[in-house]
Amino acid sequence: MTLETQLKQKTYYEMFINEHENIHPIQVLGELFQEEAVKDLPDLSTIRYAQGEVYFHHKDYEAAIFKWENIINELEPWAKKNTADAYYELGLLSTAEDLYCAIATNNLTLNTEVALQLFSLYIERGKLDLALAVIKKTIISNPDYPNVTEIARNFFEEQQDWNHAVELAINEAKRTESLEWYEMLISYVEKGVTRNHAPSYFSQALFELFSLNKPIFERLVSTLWDSYKNDESYFTWIREMNQLLLNLDINQSGNLSVLSGHHKEAFFNLIDGRYFIKSLQDFIPDFLTNWLRLADRKDTVLAAAAVLSWNELFPASISMSIVSDAEKLISMTESDMDELEECLTLFHAITNWAQSSEMGENHRVKWIVQKLVDFDTQHLLITGLGGSGKSTFVNLVLGEDLQDSPTSSLVMFKDSTEEEITEITDREITSLSGFSDFQERMDRRRNALESMIEFKRPNAFLQENKVALIDTPGLKGNYNDSYEVLKNLQLADTVLFVLDANAPFTDKERTVLAKIQELAPDIPVHFLLSKTDTLVNEQEAIRVFDETRTRIQSYLPDAEVFAFSSQYESSQQLKDLKEFIQSIKNTRNIEDKRLAKLLFFIRTTIAGLMQKRLEVENQLVESVRWNEEMLQKLTGAVNQLKDTETQKTKAVVQSYRAIKETIEKDIAVTVPKMLQECSTSIKEDSNFSKIHLELNDEMNKRLEEYLDQTVLPKYYRLLQEWIEGCNEEFVQSQEFLNEIGESFNHMYGEERLVLDCDFKVLDDWHRDTDRMTSRFQLETINILLRRTPSQFLLKSAGKLFGALSQNKALLFNKYKAFVENEDYIEAISAVNQQFFRQFELFEKSLERDVILFFKNPLNLLNRSAEEARSGIQTNQEMLTNMNTNPEMFRDPLTLFEVRLRQFEWMTVAGKGMQTIY
């Protein structure tokens, strides 16, 4: 045992008692102490040190401290450390900490032991930052010290300090080249605790690991790849991997299949339309270079095709030597990839992107692709000039007259257990309810070629021959018209061209055939000679058939010809036709041919989306212009309606007030006369002490009778005439709004604006006027009981002199003169106030009612204006975005084309098939 080991374990004392094992160490050391003490120059430090150890082991920490505090030789630093240990055991942590920190020595072991004790002390005292600093310093100064890195790792993991845990694993892996640390690092990556570290942080460790152990290298790269895959630093990771792999000696025999799989998955994800080319251009060439270098057998063709396709669209971006290697590999290596599945995945990626980018549903091409992958059914496209007898032939095959008029759309007739008729356009798929709907579609001419119809129903002939008939509209024979009808020609496996036996194989028909050869040179064309029954006799029919076949085969040597007549016995004809169809069915390598067609439709879809992008931009420009025009017109209509509302409000209120003023004038004229006439009630023998009360009652009675029976009926009649006048005004306004609505709806192309006003306002007015003019009850008005001087004198005189007969004549004359000459202004005012009181709220609500009348049309116009304004803003933002970032549409389609060319290299070129353009 070395001295340092004894000092660490506090067994230094054992060197003094080897010969005295049967005697207690304290006794042995005590006797040695006494012997040394009597010497002239005693050296007691070593014995004291040993005694301190014994006391420490027997938990007599104070005695140990006493011994160790008196050490003055080379053991003094260790003694201080042991003293601190004793204080630690006594629970005097602060003192222990001070002593540990005060130790100054160059002894690496002692420093490490002190550091480890401080580390434990700091954890116990909760000083985790200091514990972290101590252990990090210890790892740097003495990483090989037993258990130091293990202690550190456990501490980091307990504290979930993953950054330091990962740092420790990386550093130790590089320092020790121990695979255990690399395994530890892999576990950290799998836990997801390494994402805070930049990809470059692992590069050096990976570089060194490659030469140590390739399987673990691949595992670590794979786990890191998965951790960065959905992270914002994914591209940085790929760039870092590019540089790392370029600097490693890798080749296809390196058995890095997992890494090859990551490259495959990443490449397809990178070009799936989510990213711009400018964000990929700087690292894809190196990425593909590395993939080609490390690709395993099953991915070699895929990687080579990716290199070639990228180099085609971005020339000179990849080293020519790598391109040359890719060309050699793709020509020499067989691929076991499921090309159909991969192409369908690409097609779905394109259509999903188009849908998410608001570029349409593309139902038509989706339907075509669905039919192409049905390898059990041959597609026989039947075409010919209009009037050639094509529909008659189709009806014979189908067993009934389904085509009783010329076809306007492409129709596929297919055997099925149940009848189902479906119309497919780019925008939608519509189920037709029955044969009548089908016939209606056939009679339609507008946009007919934009739709395709699938007619499924039970049919023995189609089932037995495993064939579907594709009927096209009749051709006119000119070049451009033929293209519109035949643009879906690649859906067919074989073309059956129908000729009229009365004028077979004309120049027009040869023009159409030239177009078919141009559009689909790989699709075989055969001929059906129709209407042979119209010829003079059988010999003439045979002659025409032979001559026609000879002319056709001089033009198309492999073409077959079948004679057909609607007058021939149908069952025999169908039997002959079955043999003919079996002879011309194009079943050889149908999977490869359909795959080529699928690639063709993927290419046309990409091209169509490119064109649609221009159409979208033009539509947005037109939409902005149209919305601006609509906004201008709608704003004008809103302002015009507001002006109308103001005018009508003013007219309604003024006309009502005119009626009210008329009634007020009638009251002002009639009431004074009526009250003055009450003087007839005054008699010479009247009781003048109470005459003012009697007159006041009489006047109120006459007023109430006048207001209820004369004024109220007149007011009611005038109000009804006023409401009728308002109704005429409102009707005029409604007619005006109807014209506005019709004008806007014509521009909208739909019944969007129904500017109906609220005529319930008039019903409310009728109800209110009926209620308010049904009856009037006057509250008693104080006419002659007021405190005016004249009235006061009359009433007082009546009370004083009314009892004296000689004074009655005087009072009679005075009262009569007073009643007849009074102006009754205050009475008129009181009458008006009472009579019009219930009409005040009605009058105040007139303005609000007119506003309610126009509320609905005004809201609709305002809402439409806001929609136009919003449409302008939205479309303008989209236009700006499209013009500012044209790569938003262009780049995904370009990357889809990269993937398409990759498959074309793999499938078409690899199998010696010709690409269909």
Side-chain angles (χ1 to χ4, degrees):
M1 184 179 294
T2 64
L3 176 61
E4 282 195 343
T5 302
Q6 289 179 328
L7 294 174
K8 285 193 303 181
Q9 297 177 357
K10 295 184 178 63
T11 58
Y12 178 74
Y13 69 92
E14 291 179 351
M15 64 184 294
F16 294 100
I17 61 173
N18 289 335
E19 300 176 355
H20 310 283
E21 293 181 356
N22 297 323
I23 305 174
H24 197 280
I26 292 178
Q27 181 180 348
V28 174
L29 292 173
E31 292 174 353
L32 289 174
F33 186 86
Q34 294 301 323
E35 291 177 5
E36 186 68 24
V38 298
K39 294 181 180 180
D40 293 336
L41 294 173
D43 182 10
L44 300 175
S45 292
T46 55
I47 299 174
R48 287 193 179 115
Y49 186 89
Q51 288 176 322
E53 289 181 334
V54 175
Y55 292 139
F56 185 90
H57 286 306
H58 287 81
K59 302 187 184 302
D60 189 354
Y61 300 119
E62 292 182 351
I65 291 170
F66 174 77
K67 289 295 183 180
W68 283 328
E69 285 179 341
N70 294 287
I71 307 301
I72 57 174
N73 61 3
E74 68 278 1
L75 295 176
E76 182 179 356
W78 281 97
K80 290 182 178 179
K81 183 262 182 188
N82 288 348
T83 302
D85 290 347
Y87 280 113
Y88 193 160
E89 294 297 331
L90 288 169
L92 302 175
L93 302 183
S94 178
T95 304
E97 180 182 348
D98 293 340
L99 288 172
Y100 284 135
C101 293
I103 297 172
T105 180
N106 293 324
N107 187 304
L108 184 58
T109 301
L110 176 57
N111 279 330
T112 304
E113 283 292 312
V114 170
L116 291 176
Q117 286 296 96
L118 268 175
F119 172 72
S120 299
L121 184 147
Y122 285 144
I123 292 176
E124 191 167 339
R125 299 193 69 186
K127 296 182 177 182
L128 299 180
D129 290 342
L130 293 175
L132 174 63
V134 166
I135 199 65
K136 286 176 63 179
K137 183 178 178 181
T138 305
I139 293 170
I140 294 171
S141 62
N142 196 4
D144 290 322
Y145 197 77
N147 299 324
V148 163
T149 53
E150 186 67 21
I151 290 170
R153 183 182 67 81
N154 289 333
F155 172 70
F156 294 148
E157 291 181 358
E158 287 173 2
Q159 300 301 317
Q160 295 189 355
D161 186 352
W162 300 115
N163 288 338
H164 284 107
V166 172
E167 180 184 12
L168 175 66
I170 285 278
N171 292 337
E172 287 302 294
K174 291 189 293 185
R175 186 181 69 84
T176 66
E177 296 185 350
S178 169
L179 297 181
E180 291 182 4
W181 281 109
Y182 283 109
E183 292 284 0
M184 185 61 62
L185 185 57
I186 290 173
S187 71
Y188 288 155
V189 179
E190 290 173 343
K191 288 179 181 177
V193 298
T194 60
R195 291 177 186 153
N196 292 333
H197 295 277
S200 58
Y201 188 75
F202 303 96
S203 295
Q204 185 60 36
L206 288 169
F207 182 82
E208 296 176 6
L209 178 59
F210 181 79
S211 59
L212 291 174
N213 188 297
K214 288 183 177 59
I216 295 180
F217 165 82
E218 191 173 29
R219 282 179 54 211
L220 179 54
V221 170
S222 179
T223 53
L224 284 168
W225 201 306
D226 288 337
S227 72
Y228 286 120
K229 186 160 53 179
N230 298 314
D231 193 79
E232 60 183 12
S233 56
Y234 184 45
F235 285 4
T236 305
W237 162 254
I238 293 180
R239 292 186 183 94
E240 200 64 36
M241 281 304 301
N242 284 346
Q243 295 305 310
L244 173 66
L245 294 175
L246 287 172
N247 291 319
L248 293 176
D249 183 18
I250 58 176
N251 51 61
Q252 292 178 358
S253 61
N255 195 25
L256 298 173
S257 59
V258 175
L259 201 50
S260 175
H262 276 294
H263 277 76
K264 173 185 174 181
E265 180 187 4
F267 181 67
F268 286 145
N269 286 336
L270 291 170
I271 63 172
D272 69 355
R274 287 181 293 169
Y275 304 107
F276 295 149
I277 291 174
K278 65 182 180 182
S279 65
L280 305 176
Q281 273 181 311
D282 67 322
F283 65 79
I284 287 291
D286 287 342
F287 178 87
L288 293 177
T289 298
N290 286 325
W291 187 17
L292 189 67
R293 292 170 62 215
L294 59 81
D296 60 2
R297 181 182 175 281
K298 64 182 178 61
D299 289 339
T300 299
V301 173
L302 199 62
V307 168
L308 295 175
S309 62
W310 186 271
N311 190 62
E312 277 187 2
L313 273 79
F314 305 98
S317 61
I318 300 177
S319 166
M320 287 308 299
S321 62
I322 296 297
V323 174
S324 178
D325 290 344
E327 291 173 344
K328 293 176 184 177
L329 286 169
I330 206 168
S331 62
M332 296 167 53
T333 310
E334 292 185 2
S335 172
D336 57 358
M337 183 190 74
D338 188 343
E339 293 98 340
L340 177 64
E341 185 64 31
E342 294 290 346
C343 285
L344 288 175
T345 300
L346 170 59
F347 176 74
H348 294 315
I350 295 170
T351 53
N352 289 339
W353 172 85
Q355 186 174 353
S356 64
S357 301
E358 298 183 356
M359 300 290 280
E361 297 290 340
N362 298 284
H363 287 300
R364 186 183 61 83
V365 72
K366 287 179 182 177
W367 177 83
I368 290 174
V369 168
Q370 182 184 6
K371 300 306 159 188
L372 287 176
V373 298
D374 178 11
F375 298 135
D376 294 330
T377 304
Q378 277 273 308
H379 298 157
L380 181 61
L381 185 137
I382 303 168
T383 190
L385 298 184
S388 62
K390 179 171 59 66
S391 296
T392 304
F393 169 71
V394 171
N395 288 334
L396 174 72
V397 173
L398 298 177
E400 57 183 297
D401 293 339
L402 296 180
Q403 297 285 58
D404 59 357
S405 61
T407 304
S408 60
S409 299
L410 185 146
V411 184
M412 174 181 278
F413 294 98
K414 191 175 182 181
D415 174 66
S416 179
T417 55
E418 296 181 358
E419 181 172 291
E420 182 182 353
I421 310 172
T422 309
E423 181 181 21
I424 304 101
T425 66
D426 275 340
R427 292 179 295 277
E428 60 184 348
I429 298 177
T430 306
S431 292
L432 304 184
S433 59
F435 185 69
S436 59
D437 277 0
F438 171 71
Q439 289 293 352
E440 181 183 336
R441 292 297 194 281
M442 290 297 96
D443 295 338
R444 183 187 59 191
R445 291 294 177 265
R446 184 182 179 189
N447 299 326
L449 292 175
E450 293 181 4
S451 69
M452 308 171 78
I453 294 178
E454 183 177 25
F455 198 132
K456 294 181 180 179
R457 69 182 310 168
N459 185 278
F461 183 86
L462 298 180
Q463 182 186 31
E464 290 173 8
N465 290 279
K466 294 183 177 180
V467 68
L469 300 184
I470 303 174
D471 191 10
T472 67
L475 302 172
K476 297 177 182 177
N478 63 67
Y479 192 83
N480 292 329
D481 172 70
S482 300
Y483 172 75
E484 284 301 313
V485 174
L486 299 172
K487 61 185 178 182
N488 296 308
L489 188 60
Q490 287 297 338
L491 180 57
D493 298 304
T494 304
V495 173
L496 186 60
F497 199 101
V498 180
L499 303 174
D500 186 344
N502 295 290
F505 213 55
T506 62
D507 290 340
K508 282 187 175 182
E509 288 167 334
R510 285 194 290 273
T511 299
V512 173
L513 284 169
K515 187 64 180 177
I516 291 175
Q517 290 291 296
E518 176 188 336
L519 292 173
D522 58 319
I523 299 179
V525 181
H526 302 283
F527 294 86
L528 183 84
L529 191 62
S530 179
K531 300 183 181 180
T532 54
D533 57 290
T534 61
L535 299 176
V536 177
N537 51 45
E538 186 176 349
Q539 289 75 20
E540 177 66 12
I542 293 173
R543 184 191 66 79
V544 170
F545 178 83
D546 291 340
E547 288 182 0
T548 303
R549 182 171 60 183
T550 301
R551 291 168 60 197
I552 287 172
Q553 290 182 344
S554 67
Y555 190 80
L556 296 170
D558 297 328
E560 300 290 340
V561 183
F562 180 80
F564 164 77
S565 171
S566 60
Q567 302 302 315
Y568 294 166
E569 202 273 317
S570 61
S571 61
Q572 183 59 43
Q573 267 204 119
L574 285 176
K575 182 179 179 181
D576 296 340
L577 179 62
K578 178 179 179 180
E579 294 177 0
F580 176 72
I581 289 176
Q582 291 300 325
S583 69
I584 66 173
K585 279 175 70 174
N586 187 17
T587 58
R588 184 179 179 184
N589 296 330
I590 185 172
E591 290 86 355
D592 293 342
K593 291 175 181 177
R594 291 279 183 91
L595 185 60
K597 293 175 184 293
L598 176 57
L599 292 171
F600 165 79
F601 280 108
I602 291 175
R603 180 171 292 281
T604 57
T605 300
I606 293 174
L609 290 172
M610 285 284 195
Q611 180 62 34
K612 191 172 289 186
R613 189 264 182 198
L614 298 176
E615 293 173 1
V616 168
E617 184 174 359
N618 293 334
Q619 289 171 1
L620 288 173
V621 171
E622 175 59 23
S623 178
V624 169
R625 184 202 63 76
W626 186 84
N627 275 310
E628 287 176 343
E629 181 180 342
M630 289 299 292
L631 179 60
Q632 183 179 4
K633 292 180 181 296
L634 287 165
T635 303
V638 168
N639 293 332
Q640 199 170 1
L641 182 54
K642 286 182 177 179
D643 291 342
T644 300
E645 180 184 86
T646 302
Q647 293 169 3
K648 295 303 179 185
T649 301
K650 186 176 181 181
V652 166
V653 173
Q654 286 181 346
S655 59
Y656 173 79
R657 287 177 178 166
I659 295 172
K660 180 181 177 182
E661 290 172 0
T662 299
I663 298 300
E664 286 177 338
K665 288 178 181 178
D666 286 354
I667 291 174
V669 171
T670 304
V671 167
K673 292 180 181 179
M674 183 178 61
L675 296 179
Q676 289 168 356
E677 289 173 355
C678 289
S679 62
T680 57
S681 299
I682 305 172
K683 307 295 181 182
E684 289 187 9
D685 59 350
S686 297
N687 183 356
F688 288 102
S689 64
K690 295 181 179 180
I691 190 63
H692 60 286
L693 297 174
E694 295 171 356
L695 282 174
N696 198 74
D697 291 340
E698 179 64 21
M699 288 178 175
N700 275 278
K701 180 179 177 182
R702 292 189 184 189
L703 279 174
E704 182 172 358
E705 184 179 342
Y706 164 68
L707 292 171
D708 186 55
Q709 298 180 11
T710 302
V711 176
L712 208 57
K714 181 178 180 180
Y715 199 19
Y716 174 78
R717 178 176 51 80
L718 290 175
L719 286 174
Q720 298 309 305
E721 293 174 358
W722 169 76
I723 292 174
E724 187 59 34
C726 291
N727 182 56
E728 293 177 2
E729 293 284 341
F730 286 169
V731 168
Q732 291 176 5
S733 299
Q734 183 63 67
E735 291 174 351
F736 165 69
L737 286 171
N738 288 341
E739 292 177 3
I740 291 178
E742 289 176 6
S743 175
F744 279 117
N745 288 332
H746 179 73
M747 287 185 282
Y748 280 123
E750 60 176 327
E751 291 294 317
R752 181 181 292 191
L753 293 182
V754 181
L755 304 178
D756 288 340
C757 296
D758 188 3
F759 279 90
K760 289 182 179 179
V761 168
L762 296 173
D763 295 336
D764 293 341
W765 287 354
H766 276 296
R767 186 186 67 250
D768 291 343
T769 53
D770 286 347
R771 175 179 52 80
M772 292 185 294
T773 57
S774 61
R775 187 176 183 279
F776 178 76
Q777 186 172 359
L778 182 68
E779 296 176 6
T780 302
I781 298 175
N782 190 359
I783 302 173
L784 293 179
L785 303 179
R786 298 178 182 276
R787 294 288 182 177
T788 60
S790 57
Q791 289 180 349
F792 177 74
L793 289 174
L794 281 174
K795 287 185 285 184
S796 299
K799 291 177 180 180
L800 291 173
F801 307 114
L804 302 176
S805 57
Q806 63 270 29
N807 295 322
K808 285 190 175 183
L810 175 63
L811 289 173
F812 168 75
N813 291 327
K814 288 294 183 180
Y815 256 109
K816 194 172 183 66
F818 172 77
V819 171
E820 290 175 349
N821 294 319
E822 179 65 31
D823 56 12
Y824 300 105
I825 293 175
E826 292 182 1
I828 293 170
S829 176
V831 167
N832 283 335
Q833 185 177 359
Q834 276 200 49
F835 183 79
F836 290 108
R837 183 185 300 154
Q838 60 181 338
F839 293 97
E840 286 178 359
L841 290 176
F842 178 76
E843 181 180 353
K844 290 177 180 179
S845 67
L846 290 178
E847 183 175 350
R848 184 206 62 186
D849 290 344
V850 176
I851 292 173
L852 285 175
F853 178 80
F854 290 105
K855 182 179 179 180
N856 178 58
L858 189 59
N859 285 344
L860 282 174
L861 290 172
N862 277 322
R863 194 180 307 130
S864 298
E866 185 56 38
E867 288 174 359
R869 192 175 292 107
S870 176
I872 293 170
Q873 181 180 351
T874 302
N875 292 332
Q876 194 63 59
E877 288 174 356
M878 290 180 65
L879 267 175
T880 302
N881 202 17
M882 289 175 68
N883 294 325
T884 306
N885 304 302
E887 63 273 14
M888 284 181 60
F889 290 89
R890 183 190 62 220
D891 285 8
L893 294 174
T894 303
L895 293 174
F896 287 138
E897 191 170 359
V898 169
R899 193 167 170 187
L900 171 64
R901 285 300 297 142
Q902 179 187 18
F903 290 137
E904 287 176 345
W905 272 102
M906 293 171 59
T907 59
V908 181
K911 296 182 179 182
M913 296 168 57
Q914 182 180 0
T915 304
I916 303 172
Y917 290 100

